[in-house]
Amino acid sequence: MKDVFNINKTLEEVGGISRFAARFFREGFKPRYEFGELIRQCFWVGYKSLSLVGITAFIMGLVLTIQSRPTLIEFGAESMLPNMVGISLVREISPVITALICAGKIGSGMGAELGSMRVTEQIDAMEVSGTNPFKYLIVTRILATTLMLPVLVNLSNAISLYGGYLGVNIRGSISWALYWSQVFNALSYSDLVPAIVKTVFFGFAIGLVGCYKGYYSNKGTEGVGRSANSAVVVASLLVFIVDLIAVQITDLLGLT
Amino acid sequence: MKESVIEIRNLCKSFGNNHVLKNFEMDLYRGENLAVLGKSGSGKSVLIKCIIGLFEFDAGSIILLGKDIQKFNNEQWDHMRRRVGFLFQSNALYDSMTVRENLEFPMRRHEIKKKKSNEMEGLIRETLANVGLEHTIDMMPAELSGGMRKRIALARTLVLQPEIILYDEPTTGLDPVTAREISNLILEVQRKYNSSSVIISHDMNCINITSNRVVMLIDGKCYANGTYSELNSSQDPKVRDFFD
Ligand SMILES: Nc1ncnc2c1ncn2[C@@H]1O[C@H](COP(=O)(O)OP(=O)(O)OP(=O)(O)O)[C@@H](O)[C@H]1O
Ligand SMILES: [Mg+2]
């Protein structure tokens, strides 16, 4: 049991990540902003995951609709299918699945990229050439994921709802206009806003963990692999933890 | 009296129980090439990383261009690193950038940035020409051979025209011909830029060609100090180990 779950190591890691986050807030808002690099990172974060997010979102919407239909028919509520699909996609499924995909794709990419930069002393080289590597590499990346994840999630919402439209029309038939009016009637701002706000935190968590793991990568090729791997594991776990906290908060605020 | 540009006194540095540097002392005088000779793992890289501030040391003092580096804040380091170049043992080229971007990177932070871009381009081309690799300007580091990468790394160090250059094993892993070329390049740099250098190496040929003076780092201390020929005629067995 001790090998599987080492409490000291876990707490150490939590402490390390917290300190890293504190350093982000301390250094990120002081001048010498790296705007060019930030734009470049935003482009890469969005562009690299665009196709993957799109495809999974479409399949997600389609499958969810197809699988929900029999249950709803049992209750005689088949006409509620668009409402139900809309709410479950926008409130929970699309944000979480998108975040998990990004944790896999972006988190591991950052862990590996920064890890190999650390191992090949490129981060040290930046430091001796008078560029603060924390600002140039870390702050820009964390900001990029924080800004881009909400964008990706909105995109995923839209595409998965298109998938849902197709799913409804496979067995039943519903007009384009009716589908969308039913979906939008079911959704209110108290569904959408908390869901988007939590994706900001998802994005922050993914960027933070990916960068932390890469920045403190151990020497050697093995260290790079390990940082990429644990970046994904920890980031995914963190996404769920943030989700859990977010649902408590929205519940307390009565936004249900 | 010769002017010291680096003064190291009683420098101690350990990693846990591994005491790498124990009361190390060294001076680098203006305009000279000083070679630091020592076995693999004796702490040569640690020594110059302490000088440039990549490692914090435990005790002692380092005076760099007349200033005590221990009291430096980030801004002072930025300023100092403009004047001190560092060539990494592993080259540390930015592998996501072209050769041109690699050379531009150190400049983006410093006064040269304010110069016009065609001046910057001219400086980059001139520096690349000095290391004989002008044609690689648009290549990626992965497309270059080991010796070429070393030269690009050297060019990146030289592009800011530093007063002091710290070379970490500039010739290791190169064939004897390329190694000699790099050694001659280091000499040429000293003449052309009138710089002072610390050259870390265990390549005796390179040390013979480039150095004005040699310091031997053994057991974390400055064990011997003299010109190449003086040390070469020494009878001390630990010194002889390197020359035989
Ligand atoms: N980051 C580090 N953490 C812990 N120990 C280190 C670290 N860097 C170096 N050391 C230790 O310091 C000692 C000296 O290492 P250093 O890299 O300076 O050797 P070197 O003289 O440059 O050798 P080489 O000629 O092989 O490059 C080694 O025993 C090494 O284990
Ligand atoms: Mg070394």
Side-chain angles (χ1 to χ4, degrees):
Chain A
M1 190 61 200
K2 216 176 164 195
D3 291 340
V4 181
F5 186 74
N6 184 333
I7 190 80
N8 275 345
K9 267 229 171 93
T10 314
L11 288 178
E12 235 169 63
E13 184 126 328
V14 171
I17 294 178
S18 314
R19 243 177 298 134
F20 199 67
R23 189 169 168 200
F24 167 79
F25 287 112
R26 230 180 315 119
E27 297 203 12
F29 296 102
K30 275 192 250 158
R32 276 240 172 116
Y33 305 110
E34 306 278 0
F35 280 120
E37 183 65 12
L38 174 64
I39 301 291
R40 226 168 58 92
Q41 287 301 329
C42 283
F43 172 73
W44 276 111
V45 167
Y47 175 74
K48 263 196 279 191
S49 359
L50 199 60
S51 50
L52 195 62
V53 165
I55 293 169
T56 35
F58 180 76
I59 295 174
M60 206 160 61
L62 187 66
V63 170
L64 182 73
T65 317
I66 294 174
Q67 294 202 330
S68 308
R69 174 192 293 280
T71 320
L72 285 182
I73 288 179
E74 232 170 83
F75 292 110
E78 196 192 347
S79 61
M80 295 292 281
L81 195 51
N83 310 36
M84 201 218 83
V85 168
I87 289 188
S88 32
L89 282 175
V90 169
R91 285 193 65 144
E92 176 68 11
I93 298 177
S94 154
V96 170
I97 299 277
T98 308
L100 288 180
I101 288 174
C102 290
K105 180 107 182 149
I106 300 168
S108 68
M110 283 180 179
E113 187 187 6
L114 293 173
S116 60
M117 286 183 84
R118 164 66 70 198
V119 169
T120 56
E121 296 184 307
Q122 291 177 51
I123 294 184
D124 288 338
M126 282 187 181
E127 184 135 17
V128 301
S129 64
T131 294
N132 180 341
F134 194 86
K135 275 201 172 138
Y136 185 80
L137 298 171
I138 307 300
V139 172
T140 53
R141 278 173 171 75
I142 296 181
L143 278 179
T145 52
T146 312
L147 295 174
M148 291 314 285
L149 209 77
V151 176
L152 285 171
V153 167
N154 273 316
L155 195 86
S156 155
N157 283 344
I159 296 176
S160 61
L161 287 172
Y162 282 114
Y165 172 72
L166 203 73
V168 177
N169 271 312
I170 287 181
R171 284 291 168 82
S173 116
I174 186 169
S175 78
W176 178 251
L178 182 60
Y179 175 77
W180 286 106
S181 83
Q182 252 184 289
V183 167
F184 283 122
N185 276 336
L187 286 172
S188 63
Y189 278 108
S190 63
D191 295 316
L192 191 65
V193 173
I196 295 301
V197 170
K198 80 180 170 192
T199 62
V200 174
F201 291 95
F202 288 168
F204 180 74
I206 292 167
L208 185 72
V209 173
C211 289
Y212 172 77
K213 289 292 178 183
Y215 199 70
Y216 293 110
S217 181
N218 289 332
K219 293 268 169 195
T221 328
E222 200 200 333
V224 175
R226 210 168 325 118
S227 20
N229 182 279
S230 60
V232 179
V233 175
V234 177
S236 312
L237 190 66
L238 218 54
V239 164
F240 282 113
I241 293 174
V242 170
D243 197 36
L244 185 66
I245 296 171
V247 78
Q248 307 289 337
I249 292 175
T250 43
D251 202 39
L252 279 177
L253 294 177
L255 298 173
T256 40
Chain B
M1 184 64 202
K2 287 176 285 184
E3 181 200 356
S4 283
V5 286
I6 302 180
E7 259 182 78
I8 301 178
R9 294 285 171 268
N10 296 318
L11 186 71
C12 300
K13 170 76 186 167
S14 32
F15 297 98
N17 274 332
N18 180 6
H19 303 288
V20 180
L21 298 173
K22 294 169 240 167
N23 290 318
F24 182 81
E25 312 232 333
M26 185 187 98
D27 280 281
L28 175 72
Y29 301 115
R30 188 170 288 284
E32 109 182 303
N33 275 350
L34 173 68
V36 177
L37 181 60
K39 274 199 308 206
S40 189
S42 58
K44 305 182 295 307
S45 299
V46 171
L47 168 67
I48 54 170
K49 282 181 181 170
C50 284
I51 297 178
I52 196 76
L54 285 174
F55 282 146
E56 283 173 9
F57 45 91
D58 306 330
S61 72
I62 299 181
I63 313 283
L64 194 55
L65 291 163
K67 298 198 180 82
D68 187 346
I69 66 167
Q70 223 163 5
K71 303 185 190 97
F72 273 12
N73 58 23
N74 281 344
E75 220 162 286
Q76 284 169 304
W77 266 126
D78 273 5
H79 196 73
M80 185 54 80
R81 282 168 180 159
R82 157 95 179 76
R83 301 167 72 189
V84 182
F86 192 109
L87 180 71
F88 282 84
Q89 186 168 359
S90 57
N91 300 333
L93 293 175
Y94 308 124
D95 48 23
S96 59
M97 305 182 193
T98 64
V99 169
R100 178 190 274 110
E101 289 164 337
N102 262 285
L103 266 71
E104 272 169 2
F105 197 88
M107 292 201 269
R108 56 194 287 281
R109 269 292 158 257
H110 300 292
E111 301 90 89
I112 306 168
K113 191 180 152 195
K114 286 167 200 132
K115 286 186 186 174
K116 291 186 200 72
S117 64
N118 54 0
E119 263 176 75
M120 215 159 91
E121 174 80 14
L123 188 59
I124 289 175
R125 286 197 179 275
E126 186 195 322
T127 318
L128 279 178
N130 281 344
V131 298
L133 284 177
E134 212 183 339
H135 60 282
T136 61
I137 189 159
D138 287 316
M139 288 182 167
M140 299 300 283
E143 298 170 89
L144 305 172
S145 74
M148 289 159 102
R149 264 180 242 171
K150 195 60 121 196
R151 285 170 196 238
I152 299 295
L154 184 56
R156 187 179 66 182
T157 312
L158 295 178
V159 79
L160 289 176
Q161 305 186 339
E163 292 163 51
I164 301 177
I165 307 174
L166 309 171
Y167 298 94
D168 195 349
E169 307 206 4
T171 57
T172 305
L174 301 177
D175 65 273
V177 180
T178 316
R180 202 168 316 122
E181 280 172 15
I182 298 269
S183 303
N184 286 325
L185 205 56
I186 292 174
L187 262 191
E188 213 174 290
V189 165
Q190 179 195 20
R191 232 171 285 136
K192 207 166 194 165
Y193 296 89
N194 196 20
S195 54
S196 331
S197 316
V198 175
I199 301 156
I200 286 187
S201 189
H202 33 55
D203 171 359
M204 300 314 289
N205 275 326
C206 168
I207 292 180
N208 191 9
I209 295 172
T210 56
S211 69
N212 306 109
R213 198 158 60 89
V214 182
V215 161
M216 296 192 70
L217 171 57
I218 297 177
D219 297 330
K221 289 194 181 64
C222 172
Y223 187 82
N225 182 353
T227 63
Y228 183 86
S229 46
E230 275 168 21
L231 291 182
N232 198 4
S233 53
S234 157
Q235 292 308 318
D236 190 308
K238 280 189 178 173
V239 176
R240 287 248 53 89
D241 277 349
F242 284 92
F243 288 87
D244 295 333

